[in-house]
Amino acid sequence: MKQRTLTILKPDTVARRNCGAIIARLEQEGFEILGARMVRLSEEQAMAFYAVHKDKPFYRSLVEFMTSGPVWPMALERDNAIEHLRLVMGATDPAKAAPGTIRQQFASSIERNAIHGSDSPENARTELAFFFSAVELA
Ligand code: IDP
Ligand code: MG
């Protein structure tokens, strides 16, 4: 069944000019891009987006990284989109990411790991709504 998920091309991807390669990969994987808009997150916005991690030791640094430059959130649609994106992204730590995954190919560290992907249907809904209105994705 068709499902929607949110990805974000993170500041390292934009800075290293890997957006095109990653978008091409996502399209090859059968994702349709329903919405995309380059944004610069404020500290408050990055903190809110990653609020589930607020007690983690890496939270402060993550917020700093995510506000360090423009990011490119995208609404994606595909069969089984959430799980498939997680598979194609690879593990959070590029050192543990499977060969051929986006993070194995493009991430520079466990923090600067190229791309975000929603991890559940509930979080996909919340995260899509964080960046896109219902009208934009209609
Ligand atoms: P995910 O992006 O694979 O779902 P999460 O555990 O949700 O990973 O963590 C959110 C983001 O926080 C990661 O993508 C990465 O940028 C950063 N992060 C996660 N774990 C660490 C860590 O141990 N050190 C530094 N940054 C981390
Ligand atoms: Mg996550």
Side-chain angles (χ1 to χ4, degrees), residues 106-132:
F106 296 107
S108 21
S109 72
I110 192 170
E111 177 179 82
R112 296 171 182 260
N113 60 5
I115 185 171
H116 170 84
S118 306
D119 64 2
S120 69
E122 194 193 336
N123 288 339
R125 264 192 302 278
T126 313
E127 292 179 1
L128 284 164
F130 191 92
F131 290 107
F132 300 101

mmCIF file of all heavy atoms in Angstrom, residues 106-132:
data_model
loop_
_atom_site.group_PDB
_atom_site.id
_atom_site.type_symbol
_atom_site.label_atom_id
_atom_site.label_comp_id
_atom_site.label_asym_id
_atom_site.label_seq_id
_atom_site.Cartn_x
_atom_site.Cartn_y
_atom_site.Cartn_z
ATOM 1 N N PHE A 106 27.475 8.212 1.708
ATOM 2 C CA PHE A 106 27.570 9.671 1.784
ATOM 3 C C PHE A 106 27.763 10.251 3.178
ATOM 4 O O PHE A 106 28.071 11.436 3.297
ATOM 5 C CB PHE A 106 26.325 10.301 1.152
ATOM 6 C CG PHE A 106 26.173 10.015 -0.319
ATOM 7 C CD1 PHE A 106 25.209 9.121 -0.779
ATOM 8 C CD2 PHE A 106 27.010 10.623 -1.248
ATOM 9 C CE1 PHE A 106 25.069 8.848 -2.141
ATOM 10 C CE2 PHE A 106 26.878 10.359 -2.610
ATOM 11 C CZ PHE A 106 25.906 9.474 -3.054
ATOM 12 N N ALA A 107 27.563 9.472 4.246
ATOM 13 C CA ALA A 107 27.681 10.039 5.594
ATOM 14 C C ALA A 107 29.145 10.190 5.973
ATOM 15 O O ALA A 107 29.981 9.372 5.575
ATOM 16 C CB ALA A 107 26.972 9.143 6.601
ATOM 17 N N SER A 108 29.450 11.239 6.761
ATOM 18 C CA SER A 108 30.835 11.393 7.216
ATOM 19 C C SER A 108 31.023 10.981 8.672
ATOM 20 O O SER A 108 32.148 10.775 9.101
ATOM 21 C CB SER A 108 31.351 12.813 6.982
ATOM 22 O OG SER A 108 30.325 13.733 6.849
ATOM 23 N N SER A 109 29.942 10.876 9.450
ATOM 24 C CA SER A 109 30.044 10.424 10.845
ATOM 25 C C SER A 109 28.662 10.006 11.330
ATOM 26 O O SER A 109 27.671 10.193 10.619
ATOM 27 C CB SER A 109 30.582 11.545 11.737
ATOM 28 O OG SER A 109 29.578 12.545 11.904
ATOM 29 N N ILE A 110 28.611 9.476 12.551
ATOM 30 C CA ILE A 110 27.311 9.079 13.117
ATOM 31 C C ILE A 110 26.391 10.289 13.260
ATOM 32 O O ILE A 110 25.176 10.163 13.196
ATOM 33 C CB ILE A 110 27.489 8.344 14.468
ATOM 34 C CG1 ILE A 110 26.173 7.685 14.911
ATOM 35 C CG2 ILE A 110 28.039 9.268 15.544
ATOM 36 C CD1 ILE A 110 26.319 6.752 16.104
ATOM 37 N N GLU A 111 26.947 11.475 13.426
ATOM 38 C CA GLU A 111 26.121 12.687 13.492
ATOM 39 C C GLU A 111 25.838 13.246 12.095
ATOM 40 O O GLU A 111 24.687 13.492 11.738
ATOM 41 C CB GLU A 111 26.809 13.759 14.336
ATOM 42 C CG GLU A 111 26.022 15.056 14.376
ATOM 43 C CD GLU A 111 26.698 16.112 15.224
ATOM 44 O OE1 GLU A 111 27.622 16.796 14.730
ATOM 45 O OE2 GLU A 111 26.316 16.223 16.396
ATOM 46 N N ARG A 112 26.889 13.416 11.317
ATOM 47 C CA ARG A 112 26.754 13.994 9.967
ATOM 48 C C ARG A 112 26.476 12.864 8.989
ATOM 49 O O ARG A 112 27.346 12.452 8.225
ATOM 50 C CB ARG A 112 28.028 14.764 9.610
ATOM 51 C CG ARG A 112 28.202 15.934 10.537
ATOM 52 C CD ARG A 112 29.517 16.652 10.443
ATOM 53 N NE ARG A 112 29.498 17.720 11.441
ATOM 54 C CZ ARG A 112 29.247 18.997 11.162
ATOM 55 N NH1 ARG A 112 29.087 19.396 9.924
ATOM 56 N NH2 ARG A 112 29.181 19.885 12.137
ATOM 57 N N ASN A 113 25.243 12.375 9.085
ATOM 58 C CA ASN A 113 24.938 11.138 8.370
ATOM 59 C C ASN A 113 23.978 11.318 7.188
ATOM 60 O O ASN A 113 23.206 10.428 6.860
ATOM 61 C CB ASN A 113 24.460 10.060 9.354
ATOM 62 C CG ASN A 113 23.218 10.482 10.095
ATOM 63 O OD1 ASN A 113 22.664 11.538 9.806
ATOM 64 N ND2 ASN A 113 22.766 9.660 11.019
ATOM 65 N N ALA A 114 24.068 12.477 6.567
ATOM 66 C CA ALA A 114 23.546 12.717 5.213
ATOM 67 C C ALA A 114 22.033 12.894 5.093
ATOM 68 O O ALA A 114 21.557 13.726 4.325
ATOM 69 C CB ALA A 114 24.015 11.626 4.238
ATOM 70 N N ILE A 115 21.263 12.077 5.828
ATOM 71 C CA ILE A 115 19.837 12.001 5.516
ATOM 72 C C ILE A 115 19.031 11.573 6.742
ATOM 73 O O ILE A 115 19.523 10.816 7.585
ATOM 74 C CB ILE A 115 19.631 11.006 4.333
ATOM 75 C CG1 ILE A 115 18.184 10.940 3.844
ATOM 76 C CG2 ILE A 115 20.168 9.622 4.672
ATOM 77 C CD1 ILE A 115 18.020 10.145 2.544
ATOM 78 N N HIS A 116 17.815 12.098 6.831
ATOM 79 C CA HIS A 116 16.862 11.671 7.868
ATOM 80 C C HIS A 116 15.773 10.823 7.217
ATOM 81 O O HIS A 116 15.442 11.017 6.056
ATOM 82 C CB HIS A 116 16.212 12.906 8.514
ATOM 83 C CG HIS A 116 15.050 12.569 9.414
ATOM 84 N ND1 HIS A 116 15.223 12.203 10.725
ATOM 85 C CD2 HIS A 116 13.718 12.508 9.180
ATOM 86 C CE1 HIS A 116 14.035 11.937 11.266
ATOM 87 N NE2 HIS A 116 13.102 12.119 10.347
ATOM 88 N N GLY A 117 15.209 9.909 7.990
ATOM 89 C CA GLY A 117 14.022 9.169 7.545
ATOM 90 C C GLY A 117 13.135 8.870 8.730
ATOM 91 O O GLY A 117 13.621 8.412 9.772
ATOM 92 N N SER A 118 11.840 9.125 8.589
ATOM 93 C CA SER A 118 10.887 8.828 9.672
ATOM 94 C C SER A 118 10.961 7.345 10.021
ATOM 95 O O SER A 118 11.214 6.506 9.162
ATOM 96 C CB SER A 118 9.459 9.169 9.238
ATOM 97 O OG SER A 118 9.372 10.494 8.775
ATOM 98 N N ASP A 119 10.721 7.041 11.305
ATOM 99 C CA ASP A 119 10.898 5.651 11.750
ATOM 100 C C ASP A 119 9.603 4.916 12.062
ATOM 101 O O ASP A 119 9.647 3.741 12.443
ATOM 102 C CB ASP A 119 11.855 5.591 12.950
ATOM 103 C CG ASP A 119 11.299 6.297 14.175
ATOM 104 O OD1 ASP A 119 10.158 6.809 14.122
ATOM 105 O OD2 ASP A 119 12.018 6.344 15.188
ATOM 106 N N SER A 120 8.450 5.569 11.929
ATOM 107 C CA SER A 120 7.166 4.899 12.189
ATOM 108 C C SER A 120 6.058 5.695 11.513
ATOM 109 O O SER A 120 6.249 6.887 11.218
ATOM 110 C CB SER A 120 6.896 4.831 13.696
ATOM 111 O OG SER A 120 6.645 6.140 14.180
ATOM 112 N N PRO A 121 4.901 5.074 11.263
ATOM 113 C CA PRO A 121 3.790 5.796 10.648
ATOM 114 C C PRO A 121 3.374 7.028 11.457
ATOM 115 O O PRO A 121 3.124 8.093 10.890
ATOM 116 C CB PRO A 121 2.660 4.757 10.615
ATOM 117 C CG PRO A 121 3.371 3.446 10.545
ATOM 118 C CD PRO A 121 4.611 3.620 11.378
ATOM 119 N N GLU A 122 3.366 6.888 12.773
ATOM 120 C CA GLU A 122 2.971 8.021 13.611
ATOM 121 C C GLU A 122 3.982 9.165 13.484
ATOM 122 O O GLU A 122 3.600 10.334 13.325
ATOM 123 C CB GLU A 122 2.871 7.558 15.065
ATOM 124 C CG GLU A 122 2.152 8.550 15.946
ATOM 125 C CD GLU A 122 2.335 8.237 17.423
ATOM 126 O OE1 GLU A 122 2.608 7.067 17.753
ATOM 127 O OE2 GLU A 122 2.218 9.178 18.226
ATOM 128 N N ASN A 123 5.282 8.844 13.549
ATOM 129 C CA ASN A 123 6.296 9.886 13.420
ATOM 130 C C ASN A 123 6.327 10.458 12.006
ATOM 131 O O ASN A 123 6.588 11.649 11.829
ATOM 132 C CB ASN A 123 7.672 9.355 13.819
ATOM 133 C CG ASN A 123 7.787 9.154 15.316
ATOM 134 O OD1 ASN A 123 7.029 9.737 16.091
ATOM 135 N ND2 ASN A 123 8.711 8.314 15.743
ATOM 136 N N ALA A 124 6.048 9.642 10.997
ATOM 137 C CA ALA A 124 6.001 10.151 9.620
ATOM 138 C C ALA A 124 4.911 11.219 9.500
ATOM 139 O O ALA A 124 5.146 12.285 8.919
ATOM 140 C CB ALA A 124 5.759 9.010 8.637
ATOM 141 N N ARG A 125 3.748 10.938 10.069
ATOM 142 C CA ARG A 125 2.651 11.925 10.021
ATOM 143 C C ARG A 125 3.050 13.227 10.698
ATOM 144 O O ARG A 125 2.872 14.314 10.146
ATOM 145 C CB ARG A 125 1.390 11.352 10.708
ATOM 146 C CG ARG A 125 0.404 10.717 9.736
ATOM 147 C CD ARG A 125 -0.937 10.437 10.406
ATOM 148 N NE ARG A 125 -0.820 9.562 11.572
ATOM 149 C CZ ARG A 125 -0.749 8.228 11.504
ATOM 150 N NH1 ARG A 125 -0.807 7.629 10.331
ATOM 151 N NH2 ARG A 125 -0.634 7.513 12.594
ATOM 152 N N THR A 126 3.600 13.117 11.894
ATOM 153 C CA THR A 126 4.000 14.312 12.656
ATOM 154 C C THR A 126 5.094 15.075 11.915
ATOM 155 O O THR A 126 5.050 16.303 11.811
ATOM 156 C CB THR A 126 4.564 13.898 14.034
ATOM 157 O OG1 THR A 126 3.663 12.951 14.615
ATOM 158 C CG2 THR A 126 4.709 15.089 14.951
ATOM 159 N N GLU A 127 6.076 14.343 11.395
ATOM 160 C CA GLU A 127 7.223 14.994 10.758
ATOM 161 C C GLU A 127 6.844 15.611 9.409
ATOM 162 O O GLU A 127 7.359 16.679 9.054
ATOM 163 C CB GLU A 127 8.357 13.981 10.592
ATOM 164 C CG GLU A 127 8.947 13.560 11.942
ATOM 165 C CD GLU A 127 10.061 12.527 11.829
ATOM 166 O OE1 GLU A 127 10.414 12.129 10.692
ATOM 167 O OE2 GLU A 127 10.575 12.120 12.884
ATOM 168 N N LEU A 128 5.952 14.964 8.657
ATOM 169 C CA LEU A 128 5.481 15.552 7.397
ATOM 170 C C LEU A 128 4.758 16.868 7.693
ATOM 171 O O LEU A 128 4.967 17.874 7.010
ATOM 172 C CB LEU A 128 4.556 14.580 6.655
ATOM 173 C CG LEU A 128 5.253 13.421 5.946
ATOM 174 C CD1 LEU A 128 4.248 12.321 5.597
ATOM 175 C CD2 LEU A 128 5.972 13.889 4.678
ATOM 176 N N ALA A 129 3.929 16.848 8.749
ATOM 177 C CA ALA A 129 3.151 18.042 9.113
ATOM 178 C C ALA A 129 4.054 19.156 9.644
ATOM 179 O O ALA A 129 3.691 20.338 9.607
ATOM 180 C CB ALA A 129 2.086 17.681 10.145
ATOM 181 N N PHE A 130 5.226 18.786 10.134
ATOM 182 C CA PHE A 130 6.184 19.791 10.630
ATOM 183 C C PHE A 130 6.630 20.703 9.482
ATOM 184 O O PHE A 130 6.831 21.886 9.665
ATOM 185 C CB PHE A 130 7.392 19.068 11.241
ATOM 186 C CG PHE A 130 8.332 19.951 12.014
ATOM 187 C CD1 PHE A 130 8.180 20.129 13.378
ATOM 188 C CD2 PHE A 130 9.385 20.594 11.368
ATOM 189 C CE1 PHE A 130 9.054 20.942 14.096
ATOM 190 C CE2 PHE A 130 10.262 21.402 12.079
ATOM 191 C CZ PHE A 130 10.098 21.582 13.441
ATOM 192 N N PHE A 131 6.776 20.126 8.286
ATOM 193 C CA PHE A 131 7.314 20.889 7.157
ATOM 194 C C PHE A 131 6.304 21.220 6.065
ATOM 195 O O PHE A 131 6.522 22.144 5.293
ATOM 196 C CB PHE A 131 8.480 20.124 6.523
ATOM 197 C CG PHE A 131 9.709 20.078 7.376
ATOM 198 C CD1 PHE A 131 10.078 18.911 8.023
ATOM 199 C CD2 PHE A 131 10.490 21.209 7.544
ATOM 200 C CE1 PHE A 131 11.221 18.865 8.815
ATOM 201 C CE2 PHE A 131 11.630 21.177 8.334
ATOM 202 C CZ PHE A 131 11.994 19.999 8.974
ATOM 203 N N PHE A 132 5.239 20.419 5.942
ATOM 204 C CA PHE A 132 4.328 20.596 4.818
ATOM 205 C C PHE A 132 2.876 20.660 5.286
ATOM 206 O O PHE A 132 2.473 19.893 6.159
ATOM 207 C CB PHE A 132 4.476 19.433 3.822
ATOM 208 C CG PHE A 132 5.858 19.307 3.245
ATOM 209 C CD1 PHE A 132 6.742 18.352 3.734
ATOM 210 C CD2 PHE A 132 6.286 20.147 2.226
ATOM 211 C CE1 PHE A 132 8.030 18.230 3.221
ATOM 212 C CE2 PHE A 132 7.570 20.033 1.703
ATOM 213 C CZ PHE A 132 8.441 19.084 2.195
#
